Amino acid sequence: MAELVLSDAEKTYIIQGIKDNFRIDGRDCGSFRYMEVETNLISNEAGSARLRLANTDVLVGVKAEIGRPSLDRPDEGRIEFFLDCSANASPVFEGRGGEALAMTIVTSLETAYSFSQCLDLKSLCLVTGEKCWVLYADILLLECGGNLFDAVSIAVKAALHDTRIPKVTVGAGEQGVIELEIPDDPSDCLQLNTENVPCLVTVNKVGHSHIVDASMQEETCCLASLVFGVRRDGVLTALKKFGSTSLDPASVHEMMEMAKHVGQAVHKSLSSALEEEEKKRSEIMSVDGLREQLFEGFLR
Amino acid sequence: MAGLQLLSDEGFRTDGRRPNELRRLRCKIGVFTQADGSAYFEMGNTKVLAAVYGPHEVRGSRSKAMHDRVLINCQYSMAVFGGVERKKRPRGDRKSVEMTEHLQQAFESTIFLNLYPRSQIDVFVEVLQSDGSNYCACLNAAMLALVDAGIAVRDIVCASSAGLVESQTIIDMNHVEETQGKTQLIVSLLPKTKKIAVLSLNGRLHDDYWEELMESATKGCMDIFNFMEKNVQEYLASLSTSQSYADD
């Protein structure tokens, strides 16, 4: 994904700095860059969110549609991910250029979410074996600034938090045909429980040290990276290794501890950001004249 | 929605506008730092993001490079959540390819092609939300992105759509009006000389209404041009003030 070409001197500079716990933008090895979250941007989606992690810009829309549950899990709803790497992010993504990267990220997300206690899929079932809610999480990558896995997963969590699904009552119509009734009030919705939704945390190995939230320059210097799916309570739901360099088990253990620690911090800061936005939104909604300021999105 | 009345008895359209009223226009130039030029444009509920990369060396096959002019490479892409129904493929379908060609045509008429021989300019457009007049919003956004990238252009091309409903011309059609199968004219102008860069008509039109329709579309383009020009000047003014601080 990186079209970035760094000279050996630049790489050495970065690696030496990280050895002393001092990265090129002044952070230490375990901190994230500045993160901005906005939800409810897209009006025709059940839930949406936009995340800016320094340079990385991700837009997620979640649509809830009624469909058939999968055959091996007839009493659960489904969630499907789709990632589109927009050419805006990099000319390399033109046409089908971004498909390989998109596949990788989507597979990691699916693995992280496949743990049964992450998202309460049973609550999405309407009629066992026949009808269930299918959540389509469509992710659009607008700008690449490094650390795509994390940014995408945090944006997905924010969008799921914002998702409102209408309360549907199942009734038996005539001749055994199942009828679904939707309430008249559009605000009569269920909010998804995103307590246990995981976030992906990428830990990169640079030299002998480990860093999180690598910028694009740092990613070119990293030997190997591990992507962890971490829940709010520190439970790991997925683990995947990227990169061609081998890792020894002691490193893996260290990276795991780092990921747990950082993951919990990320969940906490995301929750507080979402709460703050919720509060600001309810303040603004109560004052008629300020309603314009709500959706700034890209206009800021 | 057959039989939906596009024009009420009092002369209001489905979204409450008068026939010759444009939707609310909002834009921001310079949205992304990574692209050479970028812009965000809103026409009512149609929201478009454009990014420009270039001029740079021709990527891919060297044979495409032209010795005396620049190669303009456009891509029109619609977000999966952009339309009313969830779309499976963001780009590559017939409509996207057609839009891409029209965009290319418009830019070839305004960019000074001979100033960038053997080079390539990429223009990527992403429709985030679609509510009619997609092509127009895309063109306007991409034009602002070109200005942000500093590419030499003759004029700020702008596009507007116009239609005919019960012998009344309407400007800037939204999704509901577009899908009713009425006549729709899309015009892209070079405002200073009022020359036409792109012209496209859907549906049937009687010769008597041609002048009126063309005039409406032109007026729409000029109004959009005034808005865009004002924003470009404001943006350039803000750039120059920030640079003067840096000199101190």
Side-chain angles (χ1 to χ4, degrees), chain A residues 42-45 55 57 82 84-89 91 94-95 136 138 140 142-144 292 298-300, chain B residues 24 26 28 32-34 40 49 51 53 59 73 75 80-81 83-84 86 90-91 122 124 126 128-129:
Chain A
I42 306 165
S43 39
N44 59 344
E45 292 283 292
N55 255 7
D57 203 325
F82 177 75
D84 180 22
C85 296
S86 161
N88 288 17
E94 189 187 346
Y136 292 104
D138 300 313
L140 183 60
L142 292 167
E143 208 183 352
C144 261
E292 277 297 297
F298 294 95
L299 290 164
R300 198 151 10 129
Chain B
R24 179 176 65 171
R26 293 205 286 185
K28 178 143 199 322
F32 297 134
T33 47
Q34 207 145 334
Y40 172 73
L49 256 182
Y53 286 89
R59 257 183 314 111
N73 177 33
Q75 183 181 270
V80 180
F81 41 73
V84 177
R86 186 175 173 261
R91 50 187 161 274
D122 294 318
F124 300 126
E126 188 83 39
L128 299 178
Q129 197 173 324

Side-chain angles (χ1 to χ4, degrees), chain B residues 41 119 158 194-195 208 226:
Chain B
F41 200 86
S119 308
C158 36
K194 295 231 175 44
K195 292 203 170 159
D208 289 347
N226 291 334

Side-chain angles (χ1 to χ4, degrees), chain A residues 39-143:
Chain A
T39 56
N40 208 353
L41 294 169
I42 306 165
S43 39
N44 59 344
E45 292 283 292
S48 57
R50 177 179 173 225
L51 179 90
R52 272 200 79 84
L53 183 62
N55 255 7
T56 307
D57 203 325
V58 182
L59 182 59
V60 179
V62 177
K63 220 179 191 93
E65 285 182 10
I66 298 188
R68 289 190 80 92
S70 61
L71 288 172
D72 51 345
R73 292 192 189 185
D75 58 347
E76 281 181 6
R78 284 187 288 133
I79 181 164
E80 282 187 23
F81 298 99
F82 177 75
L83 173 63
D84 180 22
C85 296
S86 161
N88 288 17
S90 163
V92 181
F93 295 149
E94 189 187 346
R96 303 180 74 159
E99 269 184 25
L101 175 66
M103 273 294 111
T104 321
I105 300 181
V106 162
T107 320
S108 304
L109 270 179
E110 282 174 353
T111 321
Y113 277 69
S114 62
F115 182 42
S116 60
Q117 273 123 46
C118 284
L119 200 57
D120 188 9
L121 293 173
K122 288 203 167 32
S123 66
L124 296 178
C125 180
L126 294 170
V127 179
T128 312
E130 294 266 335
K131 293 198 190 299
C132 69
W133 282 113
V134 183
L135 295 174
Y136 292 104
D138 300 313
I139 310 157
L140 183 60
L141 187 60
L142 292 167
E143 208 183 352

